Amino acid sequence: MHKMVRKIISSLGRQVSTMACGTTQVRRFLHGAYVRIHPSVQKALMEGRPVVALESTIITHGMAYPLNLSMAREVEETVRTNGAVPATVGILRGQIHVGLTDEELEFLASSKTAVKVSRRDFPFVLSQGLSGGTTVSGTMIAAHKAGIPVFVTGGIGGVHREGENTMDVSADLTELGRTPVAVVSAGAKSILDIGRTLEYLETQGVCVAAFGESREFPAFFSCQSGFQAPYHVRDEEEAAKLIDSALGLGLSSGVLIAVPCPQERAASGQVIEEAIQQALSEARSKGITGKEVTPFLLQKLIELTDGKSLDSNLALIQNNAKVGSCIAVALSKLQKARRKGNLPRRGDMTAPQPVVIGGINVDFIAKAQNPDILGGGQTNAGRVRRTFGGVGRNLADCLSRLGQTPLLLSAVGKDEHLESVLRYCHHMVSQFKENLCQAPLVCIDGNVPLSTIQYVCQLAKEHQLAVCYEPTDVNKASKPFLSDSWKALTYISPNLQELTAINRTLGNPVPAESPSRLEDVVQTAAALACPLLAHLQCVVVTLGTHGILLCGKSLGGSILLCPGAHEQTAAASLCAAHYPTIPISREEIANVSGAGDSLMAGILAGMLDKHDTETCVQMGLLAASLSLRSYEPISPEISTSSVSQEQVKSRSWPEAKVWKMD
């Protein structure tokens, strides 16, 4: 394919697929000057295989060298043994690494100057070219941006004891409340106030579930904390379903899966508590505060328990890695199975999957509160809204809301808006599987490069594809008409100005001035559409407040939308049918940028569902009227229930006026 078609951003479907979204995020993440993704991790993510993120603070601050290095190697091997790809996250010389080589693991493990990196520390550490271990918070951020949904750690931070006085609350908790990654850990560290930690997680909207046979929330070194987890999952399949539901809902919060330390390696709760009290007392006397508290307490516990806490720590980390890897594998299988179920099988004509090739835009709309704009430099009160548009995106969005499963091919910018676009479009995302040549319909807009348009038209000619061209604007409308490529198109949907530009490019007569009266507008539009119908199935001329003019071959008074239908009879003649818009007051109009795209998407959705021409057009008019009332280009109210054959039949419609064009 040509350059743009090779840049596949995503495949659109009716269900959420976080893996596909993550794959696209990986592409963007790789472009950052501060980021390096290990080739094995990158390859796994691109192929949709399970990946498990691992933190590195446990390497740099949790254990002494060389025990920390052997532990890190063993944990990565445990992940591999259980069917996933390990991605240890760390900072090396001012660059975030997602996945480390053995040499890089050793560098962090032996470093005497590595810093502890949480959310707040990234800007400084990266700007200064420092190296460090990422905390739970820091690792979650990197994992999410890389598209890794499962992260394994020993234990999360939380509310410190006497936190009600010191306000010492770990950033891990707020990160869990705003970053959609599943964290698999042995609960919260025993040195913390576990009750208040659970309360804080509830406030942050974090779904917490104990793993295994008990609802008891584990206390890191020991299996019992005295507190119950809000929820309970018995095995990796149940955990995967919980995580998939959270990701599917598009919640911005994470999930905490609390896995108890293996019973035979767990430390006595009483022994640990006595050691904690002694360690806390010593920390207070030495004035140790902030992020230095946890490493000090953990090291002190090793001394006070004669190494029993360290033994438990090593055991729970290995167990968490095993459980987390199994969860990641189950999640990957669940998502793949659902995507496979959503995509139409070859030859399955009951579930057509159109392809849309076109642009994605981030639009900023400013609207003044008062109709009269003050000059002279005064401030005019108003409101600015960010919306997501682009003709291709709009068409795919609306088709998706109307029950279709479109695939969107688009070029995307490498800027800060890309992640927002992907989040907004989550309801359309799944994994691209179908070949362009097998699509029942291909939509292409004028933002696409000329070479790509010509390539698609050539494919359409060779494979008898139905292609709809949306001209986008007057300057781009004529792209296919610069050569004979346009003769392979099936539908076009220009406004009167775009239709005039197309005819001018073809050397056909055009009016000197644009008409204003409805009768003259319709007559002019029909005259300009007529020469195109020698090769096109249908021309849909959008007339703004005047409605639309549908021009094409007619049989029995109805214009034929489906390609090939007119070839079955010689009785078809060229006709134009005028359909008025649904009345809407000026005060009700919130946004006009997506109304035309909604109109065309409604018509095409009806056609794909094999409705008659009149129903298709009326579905388009319904969709357009909803989008006119919405601040978004495509109204969120558009659905298979609000725009349907049943809705069309429940309304009274003015009769379309039909003229012969022969």
Side-chain angles (χ1 to χ4, degrees), residues 460-490:
K461 183 178 179 181
E462 293 172 359
H463 298 276
Q464 290 76 53
L465 301 177
V467 179
C468 176
Y469 176 64
E470 215 302 325
T472 307
D473 63 40
V474 172
N475 295 324
K476 300 170 184 175
S478 298
K479 283 184 179 180
F481 299 88
L482 296 171
S483 68
D484 284 342
S485 296
W486 72 274
K487 295 178 181 179
L489 298 175
T490 313

Side-chain angles (χ1 to χ4, degrees), residues 516-532:
S516 56
R517 289 193 320 123
L518 176 59
E519 293 79 2
D520 296 334
V521 168
V522 168
Q523 184 178 357
T524 301
L528 292 172
C530 192
L532 306 182

Side-chain angles (χ1 to χ4, degrees), residues 59 63-74 109 302 310 314:
I59 302 172
M63 296 180 186
Y65 181 81
L67 179 61
N68 56 354
L69 179 59
S70 61
M71 177 275 305
R73 287 169 173 166
E74 289 172 7
I302 295 174
L310 178 59
L314 291 169

Side-chain angles (χ1 to χ4, degrees), residues 8 12 21 56 100 154 225 230 247 306 329 391 400 406 451 453 505 602 607 609 638:
I8 298 174
L12 300 179
C21 184
S56 52
L100 301 177
S225 66
L247 295 173
D306 296 324
V329 169
V391 173
S400 177
S451 58
I453 294 175
T505 299
M607 184 198 72
D609 285 338
I638 292 175

Side-chain angles (χ1 to χ4, degrees), residues 292-352:
E292 305 303 325
V293 171
T294 297
F296 173 82
L297 293 177
L298 293 177
Q299 183 59 41
K300 198 66 184 174
L301 287 178
I302 295 174
E303 299 172 13
L304 295 173
T305 61
D306 296 324
K308 290 180 181 177
S309 66
L310 178 59
D311 180 65
S312 297
N313 198 352
L314 291 169
L316 68 87
I317 292 166
Q318 289 289 348
N319 188 56
N320 290 352
K322 178 182 177 181
V323 171
S325 300
C326 291
I327 291 173
V329 169
L331 178 63
S332 177
K333 289 179 180 177
L334 182 66
Q335 292 174 328
K336 284 181 179 179
R338 188 183 61 249
R339 289 197 298 271
K340 185 177 180 181
N342 287 339
L343 291 171
R345 296 179 177 83
R346 295 176 186 271
D348 182 5
M349 298 307 291
T350 64

Side-chain angles (χ1 to χ4, degrees), residues 550 554 557-559 574-579 655-660:
L550 191 65
S554 173
S558 178
I559 292 175
L574 291 182
C575 286
H578 176 249
Y579 295 85
E655 186 175 352
K657 294 182 180 180
V658 181
W659 298 267
K660 284 194 174 184

Side-chain angles (χ1 to χ4, degrees), residues 395-418:
L395 284 170
D397 186 345
C398 196
L399 284 168
S400 177
R401 295 177 189 277
L402 291 175
Q404 306 302 319
T405 54
L407 310 175
L408 174 62
L409 310 184
S410 184
V412 294
K414 302 169 187 175
D415 58 25
E416 69 274 13
H417 297 300
L418 175 58

Side-chain angles (χ1 to χ4, degrees), residues 53-59 88-89 134-136 139 151-155:
L54 301 167
E55 58 141 307
S56 52
T57 295
I58 192 171
I59 302 172
T88 302
V89 177
T134 52
T135 64
V136 169
T139 307
F151 159 41
V152 165
T153 184

